[in-house]
Amino acid sequence: MTERIDHTLRDRWTPTTGPLPAHALAWLRRRTGLAEARTPARTPEVPASALSDAARTALAAVVGPGFVRVDRDSRLGRAGGMSYVDLLRRRGEGGLAVPDAVVLPATPEQVADVLRTCAEHDVAVVPFGGGTSVVGGVAALRGDKAAVLALDLARLDRLVSVDPVSRVAVLQAGLPAPEAERLLAPHGLTTGHVPQSYERATIGGFAATRSAGQASSGYGRFEDMVEGVRLATPVGEWRLGAAPASAAGPDLKQLVIGSEGVLGVITEVAVRVRPRPAVERYEGFVVDGFARGTEVVRALAQRRVLADVTRLSDEDETEVTLALAGGWKTAALKAYLRARGIARPCLLVLGWHGATEAEARRRARVVRGAGLVPLGRALGEAWRHGRFNGPRQRDALLDVGVCVETLETATHWSRVAELRSAVRRALVDALGDCVVMCHISHAYETGASLYFTVLAARDAGDPVGQWQVAKAAACEAIGGLGTISHHHAVGTDHAPYLEAEIGGPGVAVLASVKRTLDPTGVLNPGKLIPRGLA
Amino acid sequence: MTERIDHTLRDRWTPTTGPLPAHALAWLRRRTGLAEARTPARTPEVPASALSDAARTALAAVVGPGFVRVDRDSRLGRAGGMSYVDLLRRRGEGGLAVPDAVVLPATPEQVADVLRTCAEHDVAVVPFGGGTSVVGGVAALRGDKAAVLALDLARLDRLVSVDPVSRVAVLQAGLPAPEAERLLAPHGLTTGHVPQSYERATIGGFAATRSAGQASSGYGRFEDMVEGVRLATPVGEWRLGAAPASAAGPDLKQLVIGSEGVLGVITEVAVRVRPRPAVERYEGFVVDGFARGTEVVRALAQRRVLADVTRLSDEDETEVTLALAGGWKTAALKAYLRARGIARPCLLVLGWHGATEAEARRRARVVRGAGLVPLGRALGEAWRHGRFNGPRQRDALLDVGVCVETLETATHWSRVAELRSAVRRALVDALGDCVVMCHISHAYETGASLYFTVLAARDAGDPVGQWQVAKAAACEAIGGLGTISHHHAVGTDHAPYLEAEIGGPGVAVLASVKRTLDPTGVLNPGKLIPRGLA
């Protein structure tokens, strides 16, 4: 167990891809004006731990002395998440907030005891799962407390129970998604939840952030799968989830889901599960222009025949995908598309899951007649193969001086085009020469998500400030047109924009719930609730 | 407009069916030991209005003098909902809580002004839509306030906007469901929301109570349809709903939906709508035993091919349905079923909606091979024809001395049988000779609702107490096995059981949210939040 935790930690920030291929680097230089210089990482500073001896002794009494860690590697391993700014900070740019200690409880009861101990000893608590937040959700901020610790849930890694009749599994919060799937596999079951952070993210993190996976069109968002939650709070334990649906007052589960560790620590989640599909069939298509592609996806969503995975790239993302896929015969592809009247190719990847190949094939037939040009299964499979690679490639990009980040939103169908234009314009205005790509990856009857990827030459003087200006411009552009986050959550980065979305009463309500469950304010300071109201 | 309001009011408590047919009465006497005597209604007492002149003047300044009503008919027309105990009280049994006035605002802004005025004048406010609550949700309780008024939303009856691309319609809260559908029809759209209370219930009421309609298996529960809400509170207006889905913190919409008027008054709801089906195809089937029927419904739910309307009656409900359907050739039916090996017939009504007859027929094919004995479309159509009749028949039943009430719950599939047995046993133990019928009318991948109808001979001495004892026994039986309400809400009747379901922290959270939005506690006292914590 200890070995697994240490391994996870060592492994966590290791880039798993090599340097950027030459053709990709050449393309990037052409498109963004990137300089030739390499920008190697510097080692960040790690201050001495501010945790008092009394607090440390009290925490050790709860979890055992071996599970209160104050060594440099343990603390640095839980210093923030995986946003571009997080990566910059760990490369020595700007100030990195490092927790004073890492505490690893083994049970929901120990989590509750840790919270009570922290409240007594004036210590802030940052719940820590896979550390994949890209919005500052796990930044080690201490607020007005004397110290801050990362509460790492890695030891809460059990499949508590499976109800195969009701198709409900109770999973502990610290389970990384692949491990949860490994435990469900012998039962023939799956959550179907595969966000891009899949390889590292945890069940608790999915619930705490209202995660949506790449197959959300088929399996639903994570909150749609949650049948019950168990939450440790400083004032005691809270369990919810008596039935699949209820009219016994407001759905308080939906208050816990998305609470980002500021109301309590999710320790267990009862999740709706489904039979593992025997077959996953992915196909690539091209459609002429993003507007037409959006109409196709909307029609499938409103007919309620969406593929489980539905991902429509805009013209820019399609161009970049083709440009970077060096092995592809792009000239031949262009001729093929031109012959089919496609002037502005937009990639559409669709994936159908099924119990049999025949079932997946039958489901795939719904797109016939939608005006799509098929590119075959190889392209679909190529997307599937690389589906988790995005985060891994960022270190290689940072090494060569690239500014690379993503952001996302969602809106109703009638505003998709306007929202996409507004965000693109804001980013281009802020960054100058840059590549802004966009895709729809989650579709609903009434609207869709928009996911943006930005590539620019990094400002060597103030790289953090460069991105923060662009991000602020994008967030301002989103306000009034869509949600500030469709599936990345609020964290520190979106907190200033939350009130515009949920209103003054919404912020006041969150603050009052926090005061009720966390009266001394030890839980994840500075996240979710706008500053001054937490 | 005034005429329509007055008409609605006059019409509200008029029984729309005649006396009970002789064969039904004979059957009831046989089954419940019902006496021969008729028990006519007495006129309830209506005390003088306690509304102060100052409050009345201030309210008249907001809504206009014609829309502050203190006459007997107006007040009596908003005195409680439609539970069995409500009906008894309006027949002169026990004490009837009558509002001191009825106020009819015309706009969301006027609603907000009424709330502020009430907070200033120490007047409690009971939001009133169709008045169809069966759990005491609109009881005119004044709590610790000087007076109580019914805030009737009848004048908020506009279709505010339709977005046909996104398929979202903004409907005002006071719209009765049939009127909402009439306004959506020219756009070719429908909510698909048809609870048994359809003929009188309102859009705001659906949202305030987490309503589920008879076609919930196809269209979802009402909360699944809500894209946004507009809420008037004593501290200001609150609007929610920036996107079809969001990770911008907890889903606060789900805190407003089901808030039963204790946190604010819902004034507008943005609802996901769908094309109106050209065809509704209903078919009746019989399956051998409720356990087997439950398995059939579970399989359809877990394969995600449920009919839009899915309703499985247990053995007792099936027997009563056949016994009361005097026109049916039940002997011939019994022989038909016996020949097909059906020993314990359970009715299953399925309804498929579609754009064409062919589509509905194609969808209906999924039940082939499920071991169902078809009874044809006539039986399905008969159910459809009488689908809203339940509430109308109760006056006739009360006239002949019957105790008639319904209650409902939901649980996961693995506990459906246990929950049904526990509730049945509790009711039979409490009531002695009685008929307890049960059906599943809402199915999910992970579980289902259970809806009970009870018929017994009324205790002439203490009819209210008789039912309250039985209801308490049923609620105790539900605790720990399912939810205290799947779609009727909490009101006064389930409030004592809420803490067992949502925990001490859950009740504390609701109370803190209420204090934030309604600091003087004028909103719907005594509902939802258990006494002593509101």
Side-chain angles (χ1 to χ4, degrees), chain B residues 445-530:
Chain B
E445 287 178 69
T446 58
S449 70
L450 286 174
Y451 189 97
F452 297 88
T453 304
V454 185
L455 294 167
R458 187 152 83 239
D459 177 341
D462 182 14
V464 172
Q466 175 195 26
W467 175 247
Q468 284 175 337
V469 167
K471 170 80 176 178
C475 290
E476 295 288 345
I478 288 169
L481 287 175
T483 176
I484 197 67
S485 175
H486 170 265
H487 61 274
H488 281 170
V490 177
T492 53
D493 298 4
H494 295 143
Y497 307 96
L498 190 64
E499 184 165 351
E501 179 159 335
I502 67 169
V507 174
V509 161
L510 288 179
S512 76
V513 173
K514 180 167 177 70
R515 279 192 301 274
T516 300
L517 298 175
D518 177 26
T520 63
V522 293
L523 278 165
N524 219 9
K527 321 297 162 54
L528 181 59
I529 301 173

Side-chain angles (χ1 to χ4, degrees), chain A residues 163 227 246-247 412 414 483 485, chain B residues 163 227 238 246-247 412 414 483 485:
Chain A
D163 175 349
E227 295 282 322
S246 172
H412 290 106
S414 58
T483 176
S485 175
Chain B
D163 175 349
E227 296 282 321
W238 192 14
S246 171
H412 290 105
S414 58
T483 176
S485 175

Side-chain angles (χ1 to χ4, degrees), chain B residues 290-323:
Chain B
F290 190 68
R292 171 75 194 129
T294 302
E295 287 303 289
V296 169
V297 175
R298 178 168 75 93
L300 294 170
Q302 293 185 338
R303 285 173 55 206
R304 287 175 286 147
V305 291
L306 274 176
D308 297 299
V309 170
T310 300
R311 184 186 164 107
L312 171 70
S313 296
D314 73 354
E315 293 84 351
D316 291 273
E317 188 168 284
T318 302
E319 184 204 324
V320 174
T321 304
L322 299 183

Side-chain angles (χ1 to χ4, degrees), chain B residues 8-300:
Chain B
T8 303
L9 190 57
R10 267 199 312 277
D11 183 48
R12 188 158 164 262
W13 303 117
T14 313
T16 47
T17 56
L20 215 58
H23 76 280
L25 186 57
W27 176 87
L28 262 171
R29 292 204 167 119
R30 218 163 43 238
R31 280 293 301 265
T32 66
L34 194 66
E36 296 273 341
R38 291 185 61 83
T39 53
R42 294 191 299 269
T43 307
E45 275 182 45
V46 176
S49 173
L51 192 70
S52 70
D53 288 345
R56 189 169 166 183
T57 304
L59 288 165
V62 173
V63 298
F67 295 107
V68 182
R69 311 260 176 102
V70 292
D71 61 287
R72 181 194 152 87
D73 283 356
S74 293
R75 292 169 59 207
L76 200 52
R78 279 81 167 187
M82 289 190 171
S83 73
Y84 168 63
V85 170
D86 285 329
L87 300 191
L88 286 177
R89 286 180 176 145
R90 269 195 298 275
R91 296 168 76 94
E93 299 284 355
L96 178 68
V98 181
D100 294 300
V102 177
V103 173
L104 295 132
T107 63
E109 292 77 9
Q110 284 190 5
V111 174
D113 288 343
V114 166
L115 295 186
R116 272 191 292 274
T117 306
C118 286
E120 283 164 26
H121 289 268
D122 197 37
V123 175
V125 180
V126 179
F128 200 96
T132 60
S133 171
V134 290
V135 294
V138 293
L141 305 180
R142 70 178 61 169
D144 59 359
K145 305 297 161 198
V148 56
L149 58 80
L151 193 158
D152 192 319
L153 295 155
R155 295 169 74 202
L156 273 79
D157 62 353
R158 285 176 48 227
L159 169 60
V160 179
S161 64
V162 175
D163 175 349
V165 174
S166 310
R167 293 194 180 158
V168 175
V170 178
L171 296 160
Q172 284 196 319
L175 274 171
E179 182 66 9
E181 294 299 330
R182 202 187 58 78
L183 293 170
L184 290 170
H187 302 274
L189 298 170
T190 179
T191 66
H193 192 70
V194 277
Q196 197 178 42
S197 59
Y198 174 79
E199 292 171 313
R200 298 185 186 275
T202 58
I203 296 296
F206 292 153
T209 60
R210 304 187 82 79
S211 170
Q214 291 170 340
S216 70
S217 296
Y219 292 85
R221 297 167 60 85
F222 198 73
E223 69 255 34
D224 302 328
M225 306 177 192
V226 175
E227 296 282 321
V229 286
R230 184 174 177 185
L231 187 81
T233 82
V235 298
E237 191 164 72
W238 192 14
R239 285 168 185 259
L240 290 166
S246 171
D251 186 354
L252 297 175
K253 270 201 323 278
Q254 299 299 335
L255 194 60
V256 172
I257 304 171
S259 61
E260 302 188 20
V262 309
L263 304 180
V265 178
I266 294 166
T267 56
E268 291 178 0
V269 186
V271 180
R272 177 204 74 203
V273 286
R274 290 189 179 158
R276 291 178 75 79
V279 174
E280 297 190 24
R281 179 187 179 94
Y282 290 84
E283 296 187 38
F285 300 88
V286 163
V287 61
D288 196 23
F290 190 68
R292 171 75 194 129
T294 302
E295 287 303 289
V296 169
V297 175
R298 178 168 75 93
L300 294 170

